[in-house]
Amino acid sequence: MDLLKDLWGFLRERKKFWLLPAIIVLLLVGVLIIAAGSSAVAPLIYTIF
Amino acid sequence: MLGISAYYHDSAAALIIDGRVVAAAHEERFTRKKHDDSFPANAVRWVLDEYGLKPSDLAAVVFYDKPLLKFERLLEMYHRYAPRGVGSFVAAMPVWIKDKLFIRGHIRKELEKLEGGKLKNLTLLFPEHHLSHAASAFYPSPFDEAAILTVDGVGEWATTVIGHGSGKDISLVAEMRFPHSLGMLYSAFTYYCGFKINSGEYKLMGLAPYGRKGSARVEEFRRKIFDTLIDLKEDGSLLLNMSYFTFATTLRTVDDRKWEALFGIPPRAQESPITESYMDMALAIQEVTDEVMVRLARTAKKLTGSRNLVLAGGVALNCTTNQKIRDAGLFDRVWIQPAAGDAGGALGAALAAEHVYFDGPRRMEKEEFDAMQGAFLGPEYSELDVERMARRFGAVYTRVADEALYKEVAARIACGQVVGWMQGAMEWGPRALGNRSILADPRSPDMQKKLNLKIKYRESFRPFAPSVLEEDAAEYFETAEPSPYMLFVAPVKEDRRTEGAPADAPLSERLNALRSDIPCVTHLDYSARLQTVSKKTNPRYWALINEFKKQTGYGLVVNTSFNVRGEPIVMTPEDAYRCFMNTEMDCVVIGSCIFDKQDQPYWKRQELYGED
């Protein structure tokens, strides 16, 4: 719940509502990726990711 | 105020009480995992315990960047490059969805574990990455007013920021944005020359003096970087030619085929022999970095009109570049945060909260001092801890009173012994500054090789740094400025130099030639990455070097960090003894106890060193 509140506040603050559909789709795809069992290890190239 | 950096690399925690930095430590020193990126639970526990605090006593907990802003950058990046970047997306998203989007919850949970219960009124703040760097550079500096320059790979969007600090206020006035980044450019060359990104940048910097300055190949590489890879503007801002870089869309840094076609050499495989082409490449990118940073410093001067400059961000750990900025004469004084990389963000985040968010007053130290206490901000151990360690390992030692201790240790160094030296509080930042150091005689011609191969187990080209008495620095080096955190270089004085091998001689001949009367710390280009030791900030280390001077006439020693390749710098007496017994170090001094290798019981050696 905290995350959704944060995300909404963030989109309002940055006025980037156009990212909302992308976030929803990406989160869904992300959930699928996790469900498919990919490892959650960040690629180590500086702090890009 | 507790500052935290974590989840990327080099996790750390720092504690600020009444605007003063009182304790700070890197998580890797506790967990013994180099560049540990996990939540710094041990470092947090230590900084709080040190002052008898619990998480509920804190005014705020401050994380060193804004995760959601970084997430925005990632999404926009994937959107911009779609459908390229799918592979990178698949690799990056799970960790965001599982962990990084929930950093607020993670931090709370970890702190509640330390508290032993729920935290009801926890204030959790997230300053921007480069504000954290800027605060780490400005607030602890000895300046009431200064230009601020922070340069690294990338934070959220910004990769370079110019700001202005005055009193307790910081304003950020200009920035360069991802993907255009000097830090990423340097890292791309780190990778291409066969070193690991995030840890091999030091090696690339150390390799540069082996390149042949002014040679046709160095000039050609330089020209190709300027003509093809980057578009450098007069103000120091730059655009990367993204057709040569792949870090925005793949998990790799550069397009190997295009780079090979451009430079005529393939990417060097890690651990393979280093040929002169890569040394020339290291020198070329060093010269480009110097050029960009001096232009940025000039712009900072123009935008702020300040006479002082403070620096932070990973690029500010490049001592050669820092010296070029100093030599450019744009500023009267230059000060650099000793933990300029991401770990230092923990300190900066807490300071930013103190002064920017809570409007707390800034207390200045005396003119000559910064607020870093010599960077000795980490854990310290008592004689009892040393005794306990000795009992545990059956270690044999002699306790010696201070004056006699300095005499004996100096004599050992003077006769060619390699000495582990562990005293007082651990250093903050990546450099050992005389409290967790390995010391040796700088006059010895074969000491560099011995230290690299038998003590540190690392590449034989890696250079060593001198610790010199602050008041004697000008006797050995052409410098008038202090360098307490080993973040500047200086040429060895002309009258100390010997001819060395001619510039066109084979590398092995150039390497083995004596270059000065302090050959172990004189680089191929006659430079040295020096640390000036002040009697006021580190009296014991100063006294030891002073005793070495009495015995030999030389007021300096070789100082390298107390660790082996791939291992974090030692923290506890146990770490120090283990490292000592696993290498060919001759003795280790912990506090006032001397452990001689010959007196120690049988020790089955373990390979401590791993990948760095």
Side-chain angles (χ1 to χ4, degrees):
Chain A
M1 233 14 233
D2 269 356
L3 173 68
L4 294 179
K5 256 179 15 197
D6 280 354
L7 273 173
W8 180 246
F10 162 76
L11 292 174
R12 277 177 52 159
E13 175 71 25
R14 301 278 298 165
K15 296 192 173 53
K16 290 210 171 170
F17 294 104
W18 66 270
L19 277 174
L20 190 60
I23 289 177
I24 292 169
V25 171
L26 291 176
L27 288 178
L28 288 174
V29 174
V31 170
L32 282 178
I33 290 166
I34 293 173
S38 294
S39 70
V41 177
L44 259 180
I45 305 181
Y46 251 119
T47 45
I48 292 182
F49 302 101
Chain B
M1 206 81 64
L2 174 71
I4 290 173
S5 77
Y7 303 123
Y8 294 96
H9 55 95
D10 297 320
S11 296
L15 185 67
I16 310 292
I17 297 180
D18 293 335
R20 279 183 203 283
V21 185
V22 293
H26 303 245
E27 182 69 2
E28 63 163 24
R29 310 284 165 88
F30 295 85
T31 60
R32 312 307 300 153
K33 184 182 163 202
K34 205 163 187 182
H35 304 300
D36 195 346
D37 62 355
S38 56
F39 180 84
N42 297 287
V44 169
R45 186 181 298 116
W46 176 76
V47 295
L48 293 180
D49 281 354
E50 198 65 6
Y51 286 85
L53 298 173
K54 289 185 299 179
S56 54
D57 298 322
L58 295 164
V61 176
V62 198
F63 187 71
Y64 81 133
D65 73 8
K66 286 187 183 295
L68 286 181
L69 204 51
K70 189 170 276 192
F71 190 55
E72 171 196 290
R73 192 244 300 148
L74 277 174
L75 293 186
E76 289 199 23
M77 187 172 81
Y78 290 125
H79 179 261
R80 185 188 307 169
Y81 291 105
R84 283 185 296 152
V86 166
S88 162
F89 173 76
V90 169
M93 279 305 120
V95 78
W96 271 92
I97 290 161
K98 271 188 172 169
D99 288 324
K100 289 187 177 172
L101 281 178
F102 300 96
I103 280 177
R104 183 187 287 275
H106 282 297
I107 294 175
R108 173 179 282 278
K109 208 184 290 171
E110 292 285 351
L111 292 173
E112 284 179 345
K113 267 193 232 165
L114 292 177
E115 177 76 18
K118 289 273 174 208
L119 284 168
K120 282 186 185 148
N121 299 315
L122 178 69
T123 304
L124 200 48
L125 303 172
F126 297 86
E128 273 190 50
H129 188 92
H130 277 264
L131 175 61
S132 297
H133 276 320
S136 79
F138 177 62
Y139 292 123
S141 78
F143 311 136
D144 185 43
E145 183 272 336
I148 304 169
L149 177 58
T150 67
V151 189
D152 69 1
V154 61
E156 295 89 2
W157 279 102
T159 61
T160 296
V161 164
I162 291 173
H164 185 226
S166 179
K168 66 168 199 55
D169 298 318
I170 283 182
S171 54
L172 305 181
V173 292
E175 71 174 26
M176 204 159 85
R177 293 188 135 207
F178 188 82
H180 307 293
S181 159
L182 178 61
M184 290 305 302
L185 175 71
Y186 199 82
S187 288
F189 279 91
T190 302
Y191 153 75
Y192 206 76
C193 288
F195 304 115
K196 262 195 174 163
I197 289 177
N198 282 347
S199 60
E201 284 77 4
Y202 294 123
K203 299 183 187 178
L204 190 67
M205 181 181 77
L207 191 62
Y210 291 83
R212 288 165 202 257
K213 199 170 175 56
S215 69
R217 189 161 48 198
V218 172
E219 289 309 308
E220 184 193 335
F221 284 163
R222 247 174 68 102
R223 190 174 45 74
K224 284 179 172 169
I225 296 170
F226 280 125
D227 291 351
T228 312
L229 289 188
I230 64 172
D231 177 7
L232 178 63
K233 308 293 184 192
E234 194 49 46
D235 63 1
S237 61
L238 59 85
L239 294 168
L240 296 183
N241 179 350
M242 291 309 288
S243 68
Y244 281 81
F245 297 88
T246 53
F247 58 79
T249 52
T250 73
L251 300 181
R252 301 182 63 81
T253 318
V254 304
D255 184 329
D256 286 348
R257 277 188 310 174
K258 289 185 93 164
W259 275 53
E260 190 169 347
L262 179 66
F263 291 109
I265 50 172
R268 178 182 157 258
Q270 284 186 17
E271 307 298 329
S272 65
I274 303 175
T275 62
E276 294 197 27
S277 312
Y278 295 101
M279 297 173 182
D280 288 342
M281 183 174 259
L283 178 57
I285 187 59
Q286 180 64 53
E287 289 182 354
V288 170
T289 305
D290 297 346
E291 170 83 36
V292 177
M293 285 294 280
V294 170
R295 286 193 193 193
L296 286 169
R298 194 169 290 129
T299 306
K301 172 87 186 174
K302 202 187 284 178
L303 291 176
T304 63
S306 179
R307 294 166 64 181
N308 305 309
L309 174 70
V310 295
L311 290 162
V315 178
L317 290 170
N318 191 315
C319 333
T320 315
T321 300
N322 297 341
Q323 189 62 41
K324 285 282 186 304
I325 293 173
R326 223 180 215 183
D327 292 344
L330 298 162
F331 296 93
D332 293 352
R333 293 170 78 193
V334 180
W335 190 86
I336 302 162
Q337 162 58 233
D342 274 8
L347 184 83
L351 286 168
E354 171 81 21
H355 300 298
V356 180
Y357 186 83
F358 289 105
D359 221 14
R362 181 178 176 216
R363 288 182 186 82
M364 293 291 295
E365 301 296 318
K366 282 184 198 152
E367 175 78 2
E368 58 187 312
F369 289 115
D370 61 40
M372 294 301 297
Q373 300 166 46
F376 303 115
L377 295 165
E380 177 167 9
Y381 296 88
S382 66
E383 297 279 307
L384 191 61
D385 293 318
V386 182
E387 277 172 31
R388 270 196 211 111
M389 176 280 286
R391 275 203 295 274
R392 184 176 157 208
F393 290 117
V396 180
Y397 64 91
T398 326
R399 194 186 296 275
V400 187
D402 282 356
E403 288 310 312
L405 180 82
Y406 303 139
K407 279 200 172 78
E408 175 163 354
V409 176
R412 282 172 179 263
I413 296 172
C415 74
Q417 288 200 5
V418 177
V419 177
W421 177 254
M422 174 175 164
Q423 304 288 328
M426 184 175 72
E427 295 89 343
W428 165 245
R431 307 267 192 254
L433 301 170
N435 277 8
R436 301 288 188 280
S437 292
I438 296 173
L439 310 179
D441 188 344
R443 302 167 302 160
S444 164
D446 47 11
M447 190 54 82
Q448 178 178 0
K449 213 174 197 175
K450 180 179 173 185
L451 282 173
N452 270 331
L453 300 179
K454 294 191 168 179
I455 312 289
K456 303 277 284 190
Y457 301 108
R458 64 185 200 182
E459 301 91 332
S460 63
F461 75 85
R462 303 275 298 274
F464 288 99
S467 289
V468 60
L469 299 178
E470 189 175 68
E471 55 276 30
D472 285 2
E475 273 185 42
Y476 305 92
F477 308 102
E478 286 165 13
T479 181
E481 298 287 331
S483 172
Y485 304 122
M486 219 182 257
L487 285 168
F488 294 96
V489 296
V492 171
K493 284 197 97 164
E494 289 273 359
D495 58 1
R496 295 196 168 268
R497 298 182 191 177
T498 48
E499 201 164 318
D504 55 352
L507 181 67
S508 57
E509 199 179 312
R510 288 197 292 146
L511 268 179
N512 293 326
L514 276 186
R515 291 180 286 277
S516 74
D517 63 342
I518 42 173
C520 187
V521 293
T522 308
H523 226 324
L524 270 183
D525 60 356
Y526 294 100
S527 68
R529 190 187 70 196
L530 79 161
Q531 177 204 1
T532 52
V533 180
S534 156
K535 193 177 184 179
K536 289 172 190 155
T537 48
N538 197 345
R540 284 178 78 81
Y541 192 36
W542 185 93
L544 173 65
I545 303 172
N546 193 44
E547 179 58 37
F548 184 76
K549 182 184 171 187
K550 281 184 198 158
Q551 293 184 18
T552 65
Y554 284 74
L556 75 172
V557 295
V558 179
N559 170 10
T560 182
S561 54
F562 199 153
N563 63 339
V564 294
R565 184 182 186 186
E567 184 209 25
I569 296 175
V570 300
M571 183 174 82
T572 63
E574 282 84 3
D575 299 336
Y577 187 76
R578 208 175 282 130
C579 181
F580 160 62
M581 292 304 289
N582 279 304
T583 64
E584 291 179 40
M585 230 179 282
D586 298 291
C587 74
V588 65
V589 184
I590 308 177
S592 57
C593 302
I594 302 181
F595 298 75
D596 190 304
K597 184 63 73 55
Q598 288 178 339
D599 300 336
Q600 302 311 310
Y602 170 74
W603 180 272
K604 190 167 181 274
R605 281 199 181 186
Q606 304 146 330
E607 289 202 356
L608 282 180
Y609 51 95
E611 288 186 12
D612 37 6

